[in-house]
Amino acid sequence: MRLTILGGGGFRVPLVYGALLGDRGEGRVTEVVLHDLDAGRLYAVARVLAEQAAGVSDAPRVTTTTDLDEALRGADFVFSAIRVGGLEGRANDERVALDEGVLGQETVGAGGIAYGLRTVPVAVDIARRAARLAPDAWVINFTNPAGLVTEAMSRHLGDRVIGICDSPVGLGRRIARVLGVSAHDAFVDYVGLNHLGWVRGLRVAGRDELPRLLADPGLLGSFEEGKLFGVDWLQSLGAIPNEYLHYYYFNREAVRAYQHAEKTRGAFLRDQQAHFYEEMRDPDAAALTAWDRTRAEREATYMAENRETAGAGERHADDLSGGYEKVALALMRAIARDERATLILNVRNKGTLSVLDSEAVIEVPCLVDANGAHPVAVAPLPGHATGLVCSVKAVEREVLAAAASGSRAAAVKAFALHPLVDSVNVARRLVEGYTAVHPGLHYLK
Ligand code: G6P
Ligand code: MN
């Protein structure tokens, strides 16, 4: 079984490889092809993987290439984890928005739109090539903004592209932990768009345990989302939102905190990772140690500003171990071995949420088997959540239209329609600002 990773010189690739090393089952991945535009990054990551594999018998063979078509040919699975414009681009996405007084975040609000506008054309090119060169391969999209990018790719790959994110899994795990039930046995009733979903129930053996949590302020205040959103607000909602909804519900505080932060998240990661890749140029450096130290620091500071505005404190140790590689591996296993699993994934709606058309990519629990991921029926969202989901989906559609046509007017409309952009004039200036700093947006005319 051959797995190709696009963005193969990316920082989180060793997480994926670590998960593969732990998979001893039949039909496991035996060959990993890393593709990246930057040979130096490939070299650095390949060194980490080599150290991870030391002493492991039958570790998956790793090869690297900068030729995209070569990487795609013969792949059984393709992980797409690219970052168009690099972390410098992410820092610019944040800065331009924050200077306008609106949120700059890689997936939410103006920053997410800018990142989407840059990424969609590249993701579409990958999807077209994959459809031609590896028509039977399953493409698993990790690239943010994950829902939007998956939808762009699905127009060329249909149900052969599946988007993943670890945040709903992490949320389900935290709720299970605080309730003292096994996450493994629980069905998490979650739905929405990527980074815009709500847990409305958590069923163990058919019994919904969530009301017990919502009714208990002590319990509710003791875990991550309770601290981030506050007990009262969670009780008012009657649901547990994805942590990214903090950017919506506490937008003013989040924007202010990001404006005043010493460095934005993107700028922090840009500098942190530049240091790591620089270290890897020394042939005597201990690659795995350096990578792990850098990873731990990244995990510990995740959403630090949001937690600070809420006085939420440090992250729980169990949340620091990553997770998206586990979702990816579970998905790949379920498809490759036809082992039925229920996973929260980004797939086409197909009537699951009646307010959206069937092509709209949503984030929802899916039954996965050799035929792919099939969304399960879920209860409708309440009005306030439906409103947000529909608004943001309309924004995503404008981004897709702008990327397909190159229309600057469509790009302005995308920004202007976003609930976190408060004036059409701001939207116009954002398009000005972003096209000035991003070469990847020069296609907008
Ligand atoms: C969460 C999100 C991902 C994001 C990751 C890393 O897992 O769901 O979409 O890529 O965090 O965030 P960071 O700010 O460290 O890049
Ligand atoms: Mn995510």
Side-chain angles (χ1 to χ4, degrees):
M1 183 81 62
R2 180 192 291 185
L3 167 66
T4 288
I5 305 182
L6 308 179
F11 186 77
R12 291 197 286 182
V13 168
L15 292 172
V16 174
Y17 192 66
L20 297 177
L21 287 173
D23 184 9
R24 312 306 297 171
E26 198 154 315
R28 73 203 179 93
V29 170
T30 48
E31 218 182 310
V32 177
V33 179
L34 304 180
H35 171 268
D36 206 282
L37 303 176
D38 183 332
R41 288 168 63 89
L42 281 175
Y43 167 74
V45 168
R47 283 187 57 192
V48 180
L49 304 197
E51 287 191 22
Q52 286 178 292
V56 180
S57 63
D58 300 333
R61 199 165 74 90
V62 177
T63 55
T64 63
T65 177
T66 53
D67 182 323
L68 178 57
D69 291 353
E70 181 190 313
L72 291 171
R73 263 186 223 110
D76 297 295
F77 286 90
V78 176
F79 286 1
S80 186
I82 59 170
R83 185 174 285 285
V84 179
L87 285 166
E88 179 67 24
R90 178 169 173 182
N92 284 331
D93 286 339
E94 296 165 335
R95 183 45 54 209
V96 170
L98 291 171
D99 286 350
E100 269 304 329
V102 294
L103 183 71
Q105 203 282 331
E106 65 160 340
T107 61
V108 182
I113 296 172
Y115 189 28
L117 285 168
R118 282 208 313 286
T119 306
V120 165
V122 180
V124 164
D125 178 57
I126 290 170
R128 285 205 174 109
R129 283 170 198 257
R132 189 158 46 82
L133 300 170
D136 296 329
W138 291 91
V139 177
I140 302 181
N141 179 56
F142 299 58
T143 303
N144 270 332
L148 166 67
V149 170
T150 301
E151 187 165 321
M153 296 181 92
S154 75
R155 294 182 176 182
H156 304 274
L157 290 165
D159 295 330
R160 289 230 155 227
V161 61
I162 298 168
I164 64 170
C165 175
D166 62 340
S167 66
V169 188
L171 176 55
R173 198 177 50 208
R174 285 190 288 279
I175 297 175
R177 184 172 67 217
V178 77
L179 281 166
V181 301
S182 145
H184 188 258
D185 300 333
F187 173 78
V188 183
D189 178 349
Y190 173 97
V191 76
L193 304 182
N194 177 237
H195 292 184
L196 190 82
W198 296 261
V199 172
R200 296 92 48 79
L202 188 131
R203 292 197 287 280
V204 182
R207 187 187 137 95
D208 188 3
E209 302 284 341
L210 193 66
R212 183 156 67 80
L213 174 60
L214 287 167
D216 183 337
L219 219 49
L220 210 43
S222 72
F223 83 119
E224 189 95 0
E225 276 69 18
K227 293 178 193 158
L228 192 60
F229 292 102
V231 170
D232 293 349
W233 183 234
L234 294 187
Q235 289 184 325
S236 296
L237 284 174
I240 315 290
N242 182 299
E243 61 196 350
Y244 281 78
L245 273 149
H246 189 260
Y247 292 113
Y248 287 83
Y249 295 141
F250 294 88
N251 183 256
R252 191 176 287 217
E253 292 80 1
V255 170
R256 198 168 294 152
Y258 275 63
Q259 282 173 325
H260 293 141
E262 192 189 324
K263 274 183 195 174
T264 60
R265 181 69 174 162
F268 167 76
L269 292 174
R270 175 197 63 201
D271 297 348
Q272 192 210 31
Q273 291 192 15
H275 180 69
F276 164 74
Y277 286 100
E278 186 56 41
E279 266 184 292
M280 286 307 98
R281 290 154 64 111
D282 170 2
D284 297 326
L288 185 52
T289 311
W291 173 79
D292 203 46
R293 176 181 10 93
T294 312
R295 181 201 57 77
E297 190 191 18
R298 177 186 191 166
E299 299 271 359
T301 52
Y302 173 69
M303 286 188 103
E305 277 79 20
N306 303 65
R307 276 181 284 116
E308 212 172 297
T309 64
E314 305 275 291
R315 296 185 80 192
H316 192 289
D318 293 1
D319 295 329
L320 298 176
S321 56
Y324 90 141
E325 68 284 2
K326 295 188 189 108
V327 186
L329 186 66
L331 172 59
M332 204 160 52
R333 269 181 169 166
I335 292 176
R337 299 176 204 163
D338 200 15
E339 281 172 6
R340 276 167 78 92
T342 305
L343 300 167
I344 299 176
L345 300 167
N346 287 268
V347 295
R348 291 194 287 185
N349 176 40
K350 297 188 178 156
T352 313
L353 286 179
S354 63
V355 291
L356 296 177
D357 61 73
S358 68
E359 310 288 297
V361 165
I362 62 168
E363 193 163 82
V364 63
C366 294
L367 273 177
V368 190
D369 57 21
N371 296 316
H374 321 281
V376 304
V378 290
L381 284 166
H384 66 86
T386 297
L388 266 184
V389 162
C390 290
S391 294
V392 173
K393 184 51 76 181
V395 170
E396 291 185 359
R397 290 283 162 82
E398 290 303 330
V399 172
L400 295 176
S405 65
S407 158
R408 205 178 170 92
V412 170
K413 197 169 170 191
F415 286 103
L417 292 179
H418 199 285
L420 300 182
V421 174
D422 56 348
S423 163
V424 176
N425 285 328
V426 172
R428 291 185 180 126
R429 289 198 297 272
L430 287 169
V431 171
E432 289 298 315
Y434 281 129
T435 47
V437 295
H438 290 312
L441 290 181
H442 287 168
Y443 71 91
L444 291 172
K445 302 278 183 245

